[in-house]
Amino acid sequence: MVSPAGNVEGRRDADTPVRAQCEVLTRRREGVYWHLSFSAREIAERARPGQFVNLAVDAPGTLLRRPFSIAKVSSKGPYAGTIDVVFDAHGPGTRWLTTVEPHDVLDVIGPLGTPFPLPQRKVPCLLVGGGYGTAPLLFLADVLTRKGLRTDMIVGAATRERLFDIIEAKRSSASVTLTTEDGSAGTQGRVTDVLDRVATASRTGVVYACGPNPMLAAVSERCRELGLPVQVAVEERMACGIGVCFTCVLPMHTADGSVRMVRSCLEGPVLDGARVAWEQTGVGGTSVAIPPAATSAAATSAADAQRRARERELWGER
Amino acid sequence: MSAEVRRVDASELAAREVPETEAEVDLAVDLAGIHLDNPITTASGCFASGREVDRFYDITELGAIVVKSITREPRQGLPTPRMAETPAGMLNAIGLQNPGVEAWLEHDLPWLAERGAKVIASIAGTTPDDFRHVARALRRQPGIVALEVNLSCPNVSHRGLVFACSGPDSAEVISAVHREAEVPVLAKLTADVTDLPGVAEQVVAAGADGLTLINTLLGMAIDPDTGHPELANTYGGLSGPAIRPVAVRAVHQVHQALPDVPIIGCGGVREVGDVIQFVRAGASAVAVGTSTFVDPFVGQHLIGGLRRWLGERGFASIAELRGAVQPW
């Protein structure tokens, strides 16, 4: 049963997600990706960069919603109260979404998950995007710029065609550095090959990253070596998106030195990249091994305690 | 939706008092001596701690809340991938990730109890003694109105075969829990057996005050290209609308064999018509699981929808439909 557009359910507190019936405004190709814009005032009012929406799809053989990072929120002008998402059509759910038309009604839950924390002092921010993972970073760049912070971007992908929206990246950031694995645009290689250089040149104080997990693991590792705080938005297979099914878990080092499986839909998708136990996530493959209960010496070191203290001061109360 | 199209039998029409308005429809049910304001509960493992869904609506509107299974020690669960979507359903192998009974009593139960929720605590373990230990820890705790014993756990002393596949193994666990419990004990059974009423009889004889039917059905899916099983655990539990007919059959079969034993019906409930099917088959209450993943509001919708469904058809109460299957 489809409710009419504009119907909204939920507590409507400032920080609670809602379920809304949203009218599709546009659906178009954006390079090799797809771009979808829909009217969702109550979600747009609450959404912050890094959070996601969960869309019901009506494709044959599907049951579950599909999660999408919020790529943009329009709060002013004729498109006030709209949400944009960007996706790759790689399964029956996303393929169905490429067929929706303007004025169709989508059943949307959001905003869900944790947002990117914003620094409490003026530090230059480096945003590292892989593939369509760049999309939510453009929303973040917009928010950081409005706070008066300098942003620099590294935009990477396998090929030139898979670099997402370079024009918008250039508009929002002080510098944009491109990398492609095949060398068809920018520096040939991966985002981590240029990270040191860009971070030094732009006096980076904070790194944000969004893209495939192997890229996030590599960026987190490089940031750890450089002593840079790093916040990553992960993409995991989800069933519910609201924290009840325990499908989308990732291992995280805790302050007491143990490793705990956290839900990327509730405690993430934005996580402290330095605390994700990437070595146990089987990045490159898809399987996550279950961490041993034993305490990890590395996580309880004095250096780690110092890092945590510095970051508490950087991000403030969260 | 076949569930929306149904004939009202003439004998039902004659026998009942016709309510004046929907507001007068009585949704209250008795479950093994527990009064529930309405028959809608959550299915274990599909509602986490309760706080997650309470962001969307007041979860104390639900008749009862069956929490995620609690074990003696904390559990990190199984490796990922833990879930695979299948036609009209999904497979999962989570591995009972939970904080352990001690942490649950400290962090999760107090919140549910303060909110006034009726809590059915699901307990799990790998030996009868594990179950006994958790049941003992849950004595005299606020808000707990019943225990649900998750018998679909691997039995370490029986080659990892789940307790629920064996009547005697299930009975042994139920009897250990029954000795400790001061609230009604519900045995959650699987339909992956050849003689479900037989297993049901054995757990009732061992002290179960009621039954929850059914747990997920064991399944497997393989990626045809890579050859990998879709789940890291190879096998997983099938849930969702795909299993609903099996669950309705199981409830009906057991209710026929044991008409006095209260049953929570569970399996693929999405719409009001599904709830009615389970009640007619013999369920006293109906649990909603996988549907919550798709619609966090589903429990709240079903309560309102049930009132309307009954009111429109002139039924005064849900209880009067229990076991009402009209023979051809």
Side-chain angles (χ1 to χ4, degrees), chain A:
Chain A
M1 186 184 72
V2 176
S3 307
N7 188 35
V8 178
E9 291 173 275
R11 289 183 180 274
R12 301 190 188 218
D13 299 341
D15 59 347
T16 52
V18 299
R19 171 188 175 161
Q21 307 304 316
C22 302
E23 184 180 348
V24 173
L25 301 172
T26 60
R27 183 262 301 150
R28 62 168 194 271
R29 278 305 289 234
E30 189 141 322
V32 296
Y33 304 112
W34 291 86
H35 182 284
L36 186 68
S37 181
F38 49 86
S39 175
R41 187 167 56 82
E42 288 77 6
I43 298 174
E45 284 167 0
R46 290 164 175 78
R48 290 151 69 192
Q51 293 186 296
F52 68 96
V53 288
N54 218 2
L55 270 58
V57 295
D58 201 14
T62 63
L63 172 76
L64 303 166
R65 287 173 183 265
R66 301 294 192 265
F68 300 93
S69 234
I70 297 170
K72 191 177 178 183
V73 164
S74 305
S75 50
K76 296 200 187 78
Y79 290 102
T82 65
I83 296 265
D84 294 13
V85 296
V86 172
F87 59 94
D88 203 357
H90 52 62
T94 42
R95 277 198 296 274
W96 178 82
L97 272 178
T98 67
T99 67
V100 300
E101 298 289 348
H103 309 303
D104 282 356
V105 177
L106 288 174
D107 179 327
V108 186
I109 293 174
L112 294 165
T114 49
F116 285 111
L118 305 179
Q120 296 303 296
R121 52 172 204 270
K122 289 210 170 180
V123 291
C125 302
L126 175 58
L127 282 51
V128 184
Y132 63 94
T134 302
L137 295 180
L138 296 174
F139 179 19
L140 175 64
D142 194 36
V143 170
L144 291 170
T145 305
R146 269 191 274 134
K147 271 180 68 96
L149 296 172
R150 174 192 164 109
T151 61
D152 297 274
M153 287 194 88
I154 300 173
V155 177
T159 63
R160 172 192 281 274
E161 296 74 50
R162 302 195 78 78
L163 290 170
F164 180 78
D165 206 350
I166 302 158
I167 295 164
E168 185 57 34
K170 285 181 175 160
R171 191 175 309 162
S172 67
S173 290
S175 77
V176 177
T177 306
L178 306 178
T179 67
T180 52
E181 288 177 35
D182 68 351
S184 53
T187 303
Q188 179 164 13
R190 297 186 167 176
V191 291
T192 37
D193 295 332
V194 299
L195 199 147
D196 295 26
R197 179 167 64 73
V198 176
T200 306
S202 53
R203 300 173 192 277
T204 293
V206 173
V207 175
Y208 296 98
C210 183
N213 282 358
M215 182 201 101
L216 300 181
V219 168
S220 298
E221 173 61 15
R222 204 67 206 97
C223 289
R224 193 185 60 75
E225 289 161 6
L226 296 170
L228 283 170
V230 56
Q231 296 286 327
V232 301
V234 299
E235 189 178 85
E236 280 296 320
R237 199 194 292 199
M238 292 179 183
C240 73
I242 58 170
V244 297
C245 78
F246 287 78
T247 288
C248 62
V249 293
L250 272 177
M252 291 282 285
H253 293 289
T254 62
D256 66 8
S258 59
V259 172
R260 197 167 64 87
M261 302 301 281
V262 305
R263 289 162 279 182
S264 38
C265 69
L266 194 73
E267 289 140 287
V270 175
L271 298 167
D272 178 350
R275 283 183 46 209
V276 177
W278 297 106
E279 71 283 2
Q280 291 165 10
T281 61
V283 290
T286 52
S287 179
V288 173
I290 292 305
T295 294
S296 153
T300 50
S301 67
D304 189 66
Q306 278 177 9
R307 186 187 68 77
R308 283 170 195 274
R310 277 201 309 275
E311 295 213 5
R312 267 196 300 277
E313 183 251 338
L314 174 66
W315 304 120
E317 289 301 315
R318 292 167 68 189

Side-chain angles (χ1 to χ4, degrees), chain B residues 150-242:
Chain B
N150 180 356
L151 292 163
S152 290
C153 303
N155 176 359
V156 286
S157 69
H158 203 153
R159 293 174 288 107
L161 184 75
V162 300
F163 290 97
C165 285
S166 152
D169 289 0
S170 297
E172 192 187 349
V173 171
I174 292 300
S175 131
V177 171
H178 175 68
R179 279 198 295 276
E180 298 291 345
E182 55 188 9
V183 291
V185 174
L186 310 172
K188 186 164 184 178
L189 301 180
T190 177
D192 279 337
V193 291
T194 41
D195 179 17
L196 181 58
V199 176
E201 274 167 20
Q202 291 176 70
V203 294
V204 168
D209 302 287
L211 303 167
T212 301
L213 303 172
I214 58 174
N215 211 318
T216 54
L217 301 176
L218 199 61
M220 179 177 181
I222 303 170
D223 184 311
D225 290 318
T226 68
H228 284 299
E230 298 263 11
L231 302 176
N233 188 54
T234 305
Y235 302 145
L238 180 64
S239 66

Side-chain angles (χ1 to χ4, degrees), chain B residues 57-134:
Chain B
Y57 72 95
D58 179 359
I59 57 163
T60 63
E61 290 177 31
L62 294 163
I65 292 169
V66 184
V67 298
K68 188 164 169 58
S69 290
I70 309 152
T71 54
R72 189 171 181 165
E73 304 294 338
R75 283 216 198 171
Q76 294 273 38
L78 290 162
T80 66
R82 292 176 164 187
M83 184 277 296
E85 195 175 32
T86 59
M90 58 172 270
L91 289 167
N92 85 82
I94 308 297
L96 298 175
Q97 181 175 345
N98 81 98
V101 67
E102 209 175 298
W104 185 78
L105 285 173
E106 191 184 342
H107 301 297
D108 292 342
L109 181 62
W111 181 83
L112 287 164
E114 272 166 35
R115 292 295 310 278
K118 283 186 173 153
V119 178
I120 298 178
S122 170
I123 65 175
T126 51
T127 64
D129 193 54
D130 280 351
F131 284 94
R132 189 197 58 77
H133 179 96
V134 180

